Amino acid sequence: MTQIAILGSGFAALTAVRELRKRKVAAEITVISPRDELHYLPSTIWIPAGLRSGAGLRIALGPFFARHGVHHLEASVTGLSDDGRTIETDQGRIQADHVIIATGGRFIRKLPGVEHAIIPCQGIASGEAIERKLATLQGGTIAVGFATNPNEPGAMRGGPMFEFLFILDSLLRRQGRRDAFRLVFFNPSPRPGQRLGAKAVDGLLTEMKKRGIETHLGHKMVRLEERKVVTEGGEIEADLILFQPGMTGPQWLENASLPLSPGGMVKAEATCQVSGHPNLWVAGDAGSYPGPDWLAKQAHQADLQAKAVAQNIASVLAGQQPTTRFKAELICIMDTLNTGMLVFRNERISFALPGFKPFHWLKRAFEYHYLRAYR
């Protein structure tokens, strides 16, 4: 029987499982990852406000794997060999006919002093750390910002940082403490969030001004200190620093001999096939894909790439050519705790809708709907 190995257990990996079985692919599927849990990171934005708990965002995957006839190997990938058909792990070697790289990317931690900041999208623990730190502060300055990979500007995750910024503002107002805090948003770009579209950027900057959030934009970052953000354009004294660095590929790619993009991600075709490597695929943040310059590193795009991978594997197993291209699409509801701003973009249209209370509830409803497949 055909052997399919999926590296990772995040959005792209689990969508690949669902889509393969949906297409009646009767292969033996092995998911290789350090844990048999899905960590639903999009909702970590609500942990500081108490709307979600870390435990509630950890979804056990044992029942899901059993329903789909999937074997889970608890291991960490350390490299690939044999043109990608042999997976090197800390538990030994695994061979497969098709390999899907869905391990996600990693944040670049080269900025001096980055250890003094909380990196919000690094995991559930980061959301919990923000909650604990905020509870200890009676006032002061909270600095929130993000950067990108200088060698691959699209390799970043900026949207959640806007959400943390606005949610913290709303939370402090709800608690009656907002006057005791100074909120500052910093970014090396003079117009951060440009991949969301010009109207979205205008809306975000307008919202910051309306909420009394200061901005420090267009200055390259120099370093972080325990209570300070240092840029070429000045310094920000801060009691809490939330900073999201740019992204690159996973560490194990150093032992994989795969084609890499300038930013260190696996170079992929529009079909999500790894360039020059038949039957080796990539979906999600670990890959670098052809497409528009606004192509996002987000869960929705990872799901769309995983769908293309599943269809192409099904085609190959049926003796056909893998011709399905992934759909480039950006969709997000930027939550503020009270409202949500809807942003949508594909290769034909782009729009951004201002804050609207039902969008907040729509985001929560989507979380419930999405996780039903795994609970």
Side-chain angles (χ1 to χ4, degrees), residues 337-348:
L337 193 59
N338 303 314
T339 64
M341 294 174 277
L342 177 65
V343 178
F344 179 86
R345 195 167 190 178
N346 62 23
E347 296 188 87
R348 293 181 294 107

Side-chain angles (χ1 to χ4, degrees), residues 9-285:
S9 55
F11 293 101
L14 300 182
T15 297
V17 169
R18 295 173 61 193
E19 294 294 323
L20 286 166
R21 293 309 193 208
K22 181 179 178 181
R23 289 162 175 75
K24 309 300 182 184
V25 173
E28 290 188 5
I29 299 177
T30 299
V31 170
I32 304 171
S33 68
R35 59 178 184 248
D36 60 349
E37 290 181 334
L38 169 64
H39 289 189
Y40 192 76
L41 298 184
S43 292
T44 57
I45 57 171
W46 291 323
I47 291 179
L51 288 184
R52 293 293 181 271
S53 67
L57 299 180
R58 297 181 178 95
I59 313 302
L61 292 173
F64 170 79
F65 289 147
R67 288 196 304 271
H68 290 82
V70 170
H71 171 65
H72 177 255
L73 175 63
E74 187 174 326
S76 295
V77 176
T78 58
L80 291 177
S81 57
D82 298 333
D83 205 29
R85 304 299 177 82
T86 298
I87 304 108
E88 311 284 346
T89 80
D90 57 4
Q91 300 298 315
R93 291 184 170 185
I94 305 296
Q95 292 186 320
D97 302 294
H98 289 265
V99 175
I100 304 173
I101 300 170
T103 51
R106 62 188 166 106
F107 292 107
I108 302 170
R109 302 181 65 91
K110 292 183 179 180
L111 181 70
V114 70
E115 67 275 8
H116 296 303
I118 297 175
I119 301 176
C121 286
Q122 192 160 264
I124 291 172
S126 293
E128 295 171 327
I130 296 169
E131 181 183 32
R132 289 193 301 270
K133 180 64 176 179
L134 195 63
T136 68
L137 295 177
Q138 301 303 310
T141 299
I142 302 174
V144 180
F146 66 89
T148 187
N149 183 329
N151 297 317
E152 197 157 338
M156 64 178 175
R157 186 158 300 144
M161 300 308 291
F162 294 119
E163 293 186 290
F164 275 104
L165 178 70
F166 294 136
I167 285 174
L168 289 176
D169 175 81
S170 297
L171 176 62
L172 292 170
R173 292 178 187 278
R174 182 178 293 182
Q175 295 172 340
R177 301 198 294 153
R178 179 63 175 90
D179 290 344
F181 287 86
R182 175 188 177 217
L183 292 183
V184 183
F185 179 77
F186 62 94
N187 193 276
S189 171
R191 285 180 57 79
Q194 293 183 61
R195 279 164 177 73
L196 298 172
K199 290 183 179 179
V201 175
D202 291 339
L204 291 167
L205 295 177
T206 297
E207 186 71 15
M208 290 181 203
K209 185 176 181 179
K210 183 176 75 173
R211 290 171 176 262
I213 297 171
E214 300 175 36
T215 57
H216 185 87
L217 306 177
H219 304 293
K220 183 178 178 180
M221 298 190 63
V222 176
R223 67 181 182 277
L224 299 178
E225 297 180 5
E226 187 174 1
R227 298 186 62 179
K228 186 182 295 183
V229 177
V230 181
T231 77
E232 291 182 348
E235 301 177 351
I236 306 167
E237 298 282 348
D239 300 277
L240 172 60
I241 302 171
L242 309 185
F243 174 62
Q244 198 106 288
M247 301 179 71
T248 187
Q251 189 76 43
W252 62 263
L253 288 178
E254 296 176 3
N255 303 315
S257 299
L258 298 179
L260 301 181
S261 68
M265 266 77 66
V266 179
K267 193 172 181 179
E269 307 294 343
T271 57
C272 295
Q273 176 184 307
V274 177
S275 298
H277 290 68
N279 296 2
L280 180 60
W281 314 88
V282 61
D285 291 349

